[in-house]
Amino acid sequence: MLKALLVDDEVNNLESLEFLIHHDCEGIEVAGKVQGAAQARDWLQLHTADVVFLDISMPGENGFQFLNSLATQNFKIVFVTAFNEYALQAIKASAVDYILKPVSIDELQKAVSRVKLAFNNPVANEQNTLLLQHLMETIAKKTPPQKIALPQLGSISFIEVDDMVSLQADSNYTIIHMKDMHKLVISKTLKDFEDLLDGNQFARIHKSYIVNLKYIKEYSTIDGGVVKMSDGNQWSISRRQLDMFLEKMKKASLMFGGHK
């Protein structure tokens, strides 16, 4: 039975989350609930938790500052947040667990399942530390994520966003085409990456493709629209995405001549 600590400055949120965990999640129990970072530190000095459900936006000391204040973190973190899109991008780029407010039963159950799987993974604690470290570095830069953490079997790949040439949907997976011609197959959907990547640099041109604007070598109007990328790949542009694609090209000040 996993023991959970709930940290949120609003009592209603604590009680609601406790109710959902108690009634809808198996193998986990609420061992404590507190209304802020200081109380959470005091609680952890006297008790142990397997997982901490942590609100981000709290008065005085937010969730990130709380984590930075801890000498050790021998528990799994699940962020519970209604935080702004900027911080959410950093969380997604760091592959740490999160659920959005208002908390849904489905999302909570998925998060609990991921926590259980992590505890069955012998390298889970090391991975958790690396992912949280990446999150803190990304948050501190206050810019769109420059690196993305991609957990794989027994390892984590940290890839430079700037080196991603294009992304190709493959059912519930995404094939990432890198600048060095290397390919990565990731168990995330293209929509997951669309939500994560900087919309000024990347464009969704088709239900199956996202491209990095800086690596577009040629744009052709043949068959409604095709882009040729620097690595030789050619992707079709859907009619519904064409106007948005051209607008992004203009905003990025990317000039392309002779349309074919």
Side-chain angles (χ1 to χ4, degrees):
M1 181 72 70
L2 298 179
K3 293 183 179 180
L5 170 64
L6 315 185
V7 185
D8 195 305
D9 62 296
E10 296 186 19
V11 175
N12 289 343
N13 290 337
L14 289 172
E15 293 179 346
S16 174
L17 184 55
E18 181 181 30
F19 179 88
L20 292 176
I21 290 175
H22 179 72
H23 289 277
D24 298 294
C25 299
E26 296 181 355
I28 185 170
E29 63 180 3
V30 176
K33 53 184 192 292
V34 297
Q35 286 184 257
Q39 292 182 32
R41 273 191 298 271
D42 292 342
W43 191 93
L44 289 168
Q45 287 180 355
L46 300 173
H47 309 87
T48 60
D50 299 306
V51 56
V52 174
F53 289 85
L54 179 63
D55 184 25
I56 294 177
S57 183
M58 298 183 293
E61 186 177 354
N62 66 35
F64 302 131
Q65 292 168 329
F66 163 68
L67 290 178
N68 273 329
S69 75
L70 300 178
T72 58
Q73 298 167 22
N74 52 0
F75 45 78
K76 187 78 171 147
I77 294 288
V78 176
F79 289 103
V80 186
T81 179
F83 214 48
N84 62 51
E85 182 180 352
Y86 215 49
L88 192 57
Q89 273 191 323
I91 290 171
K92 290 179 178 180
S94 304
V96 295
D97 280 324
Y98 71 95
I99 46 180
L100 295 175
K101 295 179 180 178
V103 176
S104 72
I105 294 173
D106 183 54
E107 289 302 310
L108 176 60
Q109 289 174 333
K110 288 179 181 178
V112 170
S113 294
R114 290 193 295 267
V115 171
K116 290 177 181 177
L117 287 173
F119 274 93
N120 293 324
N121 182 347
V123 296
N125 287 336
E126 181 181 350
Q127 285 194 349
N128 189 46
T129 300
L130 288 173
L131 294 176
L132 285 172
Q133 180 182 342
H134 181 260
L135 171 62
M136 297 307 172
E137 292 172 354
T138 304
I139 286 289
K141 291 177 181 176
K142 297 181 180 179
T143 60
Q146 298 168 352
K147 279 188 177 183
I148 298 179
L150 299 171
Q152 296 166 310
L153 287 177
S155 66
I156 303 172
S157 295
F158 294 95
I159 66 171
E160 296 282 349
V161 171
D162 209 42
D163 291 343
M164 299 165 65
V165 176
S166 57
L167 298 91
Q168 178 184 8
D170 184 10
S171 186
N172 288 326
Y173 291 81
T174 295
I175 302 170
I176 302 177
H177 299 265
M178 302 298 294
K179 183 174 68 173
D180 63 0
M181 311 297 283
H182 185 60
K183 295 180 184 179
L184 296 171
V185 180
I186 306 300
S187 58
K188 288 183 179 293
T189 66
L190 202 62
K191 181 63 167 61
D192 291 329
F193 285 100
E194 183 180 16
D195 292 341
L196 166 62
L197 297 170
D198 182 3
N200 294 315
Q201 182 179 357
F202 290 85
R204 180 78 176 259
I205 62 168
H206 188 277
K207 66 179 182 180
S208 298
Y209 313 120
I210 293 175
V211 298
N212 187 337
L213 300 177
K214 68 175 286 185
Y215 291 113
I216 293 177
K217 184 176 181 180
E218 182 180 321
Y219 162 63
S220 170
T221 57
I222 295 175
D223 296 327
V226 175
V227 289
K228 184 175 182 179
M229 308 304 294
S230 61
D231 61 358
N233 282 314
Q234 296 188 74
W235 310 124
S236 299
I237 306 173
S238 67
R239 291 183 179 179
R240 62 182 299 183
Q241 299 289 352
L242 181 58
D243 288 344
M244 184 177 294
F245 164 72
L246 294 175
E247 184 63 28
K248 285 191 175 186
M249 291 289 284
K250 291 178 183 177
K251 286 184 178 179
S253 299
L254 297 172
M255 304 301 293
F256 39 89
H259 296 177
K260 297 181 179 179

